[in-house]
Amino acid sequence: MADSPCEMCHLPGKKILQAAEERGKWETKKEFILSVAGAIIGLGNVWRFPYLCYKNGGGAFFIPYFLFLVTCGVPLFVLETSLGQYTSQGGIMCWRKICPLFEGMGYASQLIIFYGNISYVVILAWAFLYFFSSFSVKLPWASCNNTWNTDHCVEINNSNTTVNWTSPLNASSSSVVEFWRRRVLNISTGIETMGDIRWDLSLCLLLSWVICYFCVWKGVRSTGKATYFTATFPFILLVVLFIRGMTLPGAFHGIKYYLYPDPSRLADPQVWMDAGTQIFYSYAICLGYMTTFGSYNKYNNNCYRDSFYLCMLNSGTSIMSGFAIFSVLGYMSVQQGVDISAVAESGPGLVFIVYPQAVTLLPWPQVWSVCFFFMIILLGIDGQFAGLESNMTSLTDLYPSYLRKGYRRELLLVLLCVVSSLLGLFLVTEAGAYILQIFDHYVCSGPTLLLMAIFQSVIIGWIYGAGRFCDNIEDMIGYKPLPLFKYCWLYVTPLVCSGTLVFLLLRYTPMRFNITYVYPWWAYWIGWFLAMSSLSMIPITMIFKLAKEKGSFWQRLKTASQPADDLPGMEKEMLCINALMHVQTEDQNDTRL
């Protein structure tokens, strides 16, 4: 018996299913959850969120944070994950399928990820160096009896509590700071002086790339297996550090500074901007990660529910990290007899200066140092190979018939890792810290991600159609998402992101290193080139697509904005139309008879 028109309208596209089978799928749902969790839960949760919460009003900071989470973070997270699952394509091909005119969105996001892979892997190299140094009999940053120390070096420990931590001289010449600046970085006077390559760091860099290669070399088959360890063990270490921190004397002194609400801070617009940018940093949205991982799901996987769980896990980890970090900082401030504001920092200052100083005050400092830096390494590796997998998926989806033969994919991955590691050598020179800040400030910055979010919302909400996309999600999971998501994609998310972007541009100030060092003019030009080289892919691709089409400008625009015919939704629409026409024809024939 032939299928009825209604039954025919619930069949996913055969071409989509065949392509999905060829490119592979997650073996279990756990692999998808762990891979996404590893990609979105990273260093930003540990070294950025707790400090922002402390700086911006403690518990009051949760108000703008959760507001941005509901209006931007979760809607965009659901959008990207669903987009990948629906199209079964990576970061570039998904846009070619949905709206060919904006295929450049995929190229832009993959270029940003490529730049990020080159630059942020140096943080892994630093963490490896600290990790290996933690196995020494005495932590090398705990004393001033080393070849790299100066005559002004000061040991700040339990037996030396009279030292004034807040003194500029002592703060800049402590044994921990000298280990970081003179031993690890051997930082030069500026980016103009590149200096020599730090060969110990370059070996740690090589180790990082080798690990990332073997996590990705077999695609989702190896990525999914690797995350069973790399995504779960950091949580175990975080729980261990949390329990140890909460049992330290002075822990609740630190927690008070972390969470004590100061509602007056909500009147400062910068607090709201920090909350918005933190959502984009920590949720890895607008970069194609979620699209890539979602593309390996089965067509009927409930990606909508998974997105909620993953967002809750991400924010929960950020909050828990604050307890783990500030409990130790509270202990440190009590031990040193200084205000917690003198030891609270964000970013590399927290991971490579403040926390190493804190572990020297603990019994068995080597144990806690190994635990902490092993956690940092695993968090960094997860994000690193997630970006590498996103690049590889996008390339293999572009050229499937060529790259899915033999060992071509593995050879391309070797080439990508080698090129990235060679370019990364610039970041392990004596001027590497200056170069890293250029990448961080211009390439993976708030304005870049906000622009990508605006484009993404407008394309799905207005060009492809928010209603149609909700229907696609319903076809996959069996029910429509909340109406809130539709209105967020149409109005709320692009408006909130546009307002945040305008504010950031109005508050723009030239980049400086450690507040005092001003970069030369050509360094700023390099930064703007890196930023524009990715974003420019969007208009360049649009021009190419319009030039390729035929007809008037409006005809070309309309044709280039049409989704692909082989998408499940489009194929079913045609099946429904043909089935209805067939029924109407039969009715007309019966009437004539």
Side-chain angles (χ1 to χ4, degrees), residues 56 264-273 503 507:
N56 292 316
S264 63
R265 293 286 293 127
L266 296 178
D268 184 0
Q270 187 59 47
V271 174
W272 295 79
M273 298 306 106
F503 180 84
R507 295 284 297 266

Side-chain angles (χ1 to χ4, degrees), residues 112 441-453 501 531 534-535:
I112 292 171
H441 188 84
Y442 287 99
V443 179
C444 304
S445 62
T448 303
L449 299 180
L450 288 168
L451 274 172
M452 296 290 287
L501 177 63
S534 58
L535 293 175

Side-chain angles (χ1 to χ4, degrees), residues 204-226:
C204 291
L205 186 75
L206 176 63
L207 176 62
S208 302
W209 277 112
V210 169
I211 294 173
C212 289
Y213 172 81
F214 284 106
C215 287
V216 179
W217 73 314
K218 290 297 182 182
V220 290
R221 286 178 294 170
S222 56
T223 303
K225 298 298 183 293

Side-chain angles (χ1 to χ4, degrees), residues 40-52:
I40 64 176
I41 298 174
L43 299 176
N45 300 74
V46 175
W47 76 13
R48 199 166 186 269
F49 177 84
Y51 177 78
L52 288 179

Side-chain angles (χ1 to χ4, degrees), residues 201 240 343 371 380 386 405 442 445 496 498 504:
L201 280 180
V240 170
V343 296
C371 287
K405 291 181 179 179
Y442 287 99
S445 62
V496 170
S498 298
L504 289 177

Side-chain angles (χ1 to χ4, degrees), residues 353-375:
I353 298 177
V354 175
Y355 209 90
Q357 174 63 52
V359 298
T360 63
L361 307 177
L362 297 171
W364 303 332
Q366 290 88 347
V367 174
W368 301 113
S369 182
V370 167
C371 287
F372 178 73
F373 285 108
F374 192 47
M375 180 184 74

